[in-house]
Amino acid sequence: MNNVKTPKACLQIQKDIVLGAYLSYSTNKALKEHLKTCPACRAFAELQANIKDRLTAEQSAQSPPERTLKQLHLHLADRLQERNATAWRRLRQLLAFRMRFDHAMAAVIVVICFVWGLGRLHTIYPPKSAKPIKYHADQSVIETAQATLLLRAAAEQKLGRPISEDSLYSRFTFTM
Amino acid sequence: MDWKILYSHRTDEALMARVQKGDARAMTVLYERYNRRLLVFFRRMLGGKQVAEDMLQETFLHLIDRAGLYDSAKKFSTWLFCIAYNLCKNEYRRRQRRKSSATIEDLLHSDYPLADNLTVDLHEEITSRFFLEAVFRELEKLGPERKSLFLLRCQQELSVHEIAEITGLAEGTVKSRLFYINKILADRLESFHPSPHKA
Ligand SMILES: [Zn+2]
């Protein structure tokens, strides 16, 4: 094989043998036919098969060390812990301050009290714009001033204190 | 073990996605699938049992550390052998020049284990070993890059496409080099013809 120049057909066949996995059915058939009649290509194919067989046998004879897997598990656990720690550290950096648990609880209570107090204040002294005045009176029947006087008296009785005309319209809704 | 059965049906890529989330069981299955392949690859690329074992561990440490970089759309074996190939390249760079071939004495005293199975014919085993050593002696002469191409194809049975991705060579280049390597082996090993299949 070495001193004689390999014919072109044989070169192609030997290429097909090396890249065997890509052979189509027809190429495979042609290759088998060629091997029957060509001792050089047959020797080439035999050598390839031998090498592959030996390499496969060699692979199955390997015995990987047991300690490796244990070390890999430790490494993976370390990485996981590191990753979680990094995520927490990033979150804290994002918040830009370090907070102790009792401090955090105190802050939460202060915020809750503030919101509750604000709500109470809103109930006692609602903003003027918050309650639209619904004043619907037929002025041809009742004079506005007269109605105001009547309503003011009723409101003052209910509240137990004097009330201005402005407050009357902002806090009471009445229709006629 | 139930989880082993469950995990054994999963593809490499699905297992690697679990490793990315820190699943140690998925890593165990991948390790068991590939440890022998990598060991034999490293032993033939770099020589020596200890080096191969160290490199096997190194490969999986890289896998854990770089799990986030793995793209699940790509074949896992290609990615894994890419790590292994690069580790070999680094090791070669470190060594620069190393002993090129094993002598018969090296072979007889080598740390390569004879098959554990005692029914294996010793003569056959030694013949096989001499044959493979002759193959690798020739491969050493061709250089580490060509040896790695040969191993990825003939030992690991990776596709030309995968080999091209791992080595960064064009597919055409991989094909022509593989043919060249095998042609040279055929020429040089013509006198060495163990042919165990022949009567
Ligand atoms: Zn031929």
Side-chain angles (χ1 to χ4, degrees):
Chain A
M1 180 183 336
N2 45 353
N3 294 327
V4 185
K5 199 170 179 250
T6 314
K8 213 175 173 184
C10 291
L11 270 182
Q12 188 53 52
I13 289 289
Q14 289 170 15
K15 272 183 192 169
D16 290 346
I17 291 168
V18 171
L19 307 168
Y22 305 94
L23 298 180
S24 65
Y25 176 75
S26 58
T27 321
N28 208 2
K29 205 176 164 193
L31 187 140
K32 278 180 183 167
E33 287 300 315
H34 182 90
L35 290 183
K36 279 181 194 167
T37 55
C38 178
C41 288
R42 206 162 49 235
F44 186 86
E46 249 174 41
L47 182 78
Q48 293 292 308
N50 270 343
I51 291 173
K52 281 191 180 166
D53 285 353
R54 303 297 186 194
L55 289 173
T56 309
E58 189 176 66
Q59 188 167 299
S60 51
Q62 300 300 311
S63 49
E66 280 182 22
R67 63 181 161 79
T68 307
L69 190 58
K70 281 179 194 162
Q71 279 164 349
L72 291 174
H73 278 165
L74 287 175
H75 189 74
L76 185 64
D78 279 353
R79 280 284 168 275
L80 212 60
Q81 208 172 5
E82 220 168 78
R83 200 196 301 169
N84 291 342
T86 311
W88 176 234
R89 208 180 308 129
R90 275 187 194 157
L91 186 71
R92 285 208 316 212
Q93 278 169 357
L94 201 71
L95 292 171
F97 64 89
R98 291 178 184 197
M99 195 186 264
R100 272 172 52 185
F101 181 73
D102 48 354
H103 292 171
M105 289 311 292
V108 168
I109 289 166
V110 167
V111 169
I112 289 171
C113 288
F114 180 74
V115 171
W116 180 80
L118 210 65
R120 287 288 302 153
L121 212 65
H122 194 84
T123 319
I124 298 165
Y125 302 107
K128 281 180 185 175
S129 58
K131 278 202 171 183
I133 303 161
K134 284 188 182 173
Y135 179 50
H136 174 74
D138 188 347
Q139 298 215 349
S140 65
V141 181
I142 301 173
E143 285 292 319
T144 308
Q146 199 182 351
T148 304
L149 275 174
L150 284 169
L151 288 165
R152 197 169 172 179
E156 280 175 352
Q157 195 178 3
K158 191 166 184 172
L159 289 171
R161 60 179 168 86
I163 189 168
S164 71
E165 198 175 319
D166 282 349
S167 293
L168 178 74
Y169 291 133
S170 65
R171 295 192 61 188
F172 292 89
T173 305
F174 52 93
T175 55
M176 292 189 77
Chain B
M1 269 189 205
D2 286 343
W3 68 266
K4 274 207 171 176
I5 298 166
L6 190 74
Y7 278 60
S8 66
H9 295 297
R10 294 188 178 170
T11 61
D12 294 344
E13 291 74 22
L15 289 170
M16 189 55 207
R18 304 273 328 149
V19 174
Q20 286 177 320
K21 291 172 185 162
D23 188 338
R25 288 171 172 180
M27 194 201 60
T28 305
V29 177
L30 283 177
Y31 176 78
E32 283 170 0
R33 276 186 198 171
Y34 283 93
N35 58 17
R36 284 185 174 78
R37 286 180 67 175
L38 285 168
L39 259 186
V40 79
F41 176 71
F42 284 127
R43 283 179 83 164
R44 281 303 177 188
M45 276 304 289
L46 305 168
K49 188 182 175 196
Q50 191 53 51
V51 182
E53 288 181 357
D54 290 349
M55 283 295 172
L56 170 69
Q57 184 170 329
E58 198 66 26
T59 306
F60 273 87
L61 289 177
H62 270 70
L63 178 143
I64 293 167
D65 291 343
R66 297 176 187 180
L69 299 175
Y70 172 68
D71 173 7
S72 56
K74 289 197 171 178
K75 210 174 168 190
F76 172 77
S77 56
T78 311
W79 188 67
L80 187 69
F81 274 96
C82 205
I83 296 175
Y85 177 77
N86 285 324
L87 284 174
C88 284
K89 263 171 61 176
N90 293 345
E91 181 63 18
Y92 267 105
R93 266 187 220 125
R94 234 187 340 255
R95 292 180 185 181
Q96 289 188 333
R97 277 183 73 111
R98 62 180 281 260
K99 181 172 78 168
S100 68
S101 60
T103 62
I104 287 173
E105 281 74 24
D106 289 335
L107 188 64
L108 292 171
H109 297 104
S110 80
D111 58 2
Y112 245 88
L114 286 169
D116 294 336
N117 188 348
L118 293 174
T119 58
V120 170
D121 177 41
L122 189 64
H123 175 75
E124 163 74 2
E125 178 70 28
I126 290 173
T127 308
S128 167
R129 204 185 260 192
F130 281 151
F131 171 64
L132 266 190
E133 291 316 315
V135 169
F136 281 96
R137 198 159 43 235
E138 295 305 329
L139 282 171
E140 290 295 343
K141 290 177 194 166
L142 297 177
E145 199 248 1
R146 294 206 158 95
K147 185 167 75 170
S148 64
L149 287 181
F150 174 85
L151 285 175
L152 290 171
R153 177 68 191 153
C154 298
Q155 184 193 61
Q156 300 302 323
E157 296 180 336
L158 299 180
S159 68
V160 169
H161 178 73
E162 281 183 280
I163 298 170
E165 271 196 51
I166 291 166
T167 56
L169 296 169
E171 283 188 33
T173 313
V174 173
K175 280 184 189 175
S176 61
R177 284 192 190 167
L178 277 173
F179 177 65
Y180 166 79
I181 295 161
N182 283 282
K183 192 84 183 103
I184 285 197
L185 285 180
D187 287 349
R188 292 185 185 166
L189 296 172
E190 199 181 26
S191 56
F192 197 107
H193 204 65
S195 288
H197 304 303
K198 282 181 181 174

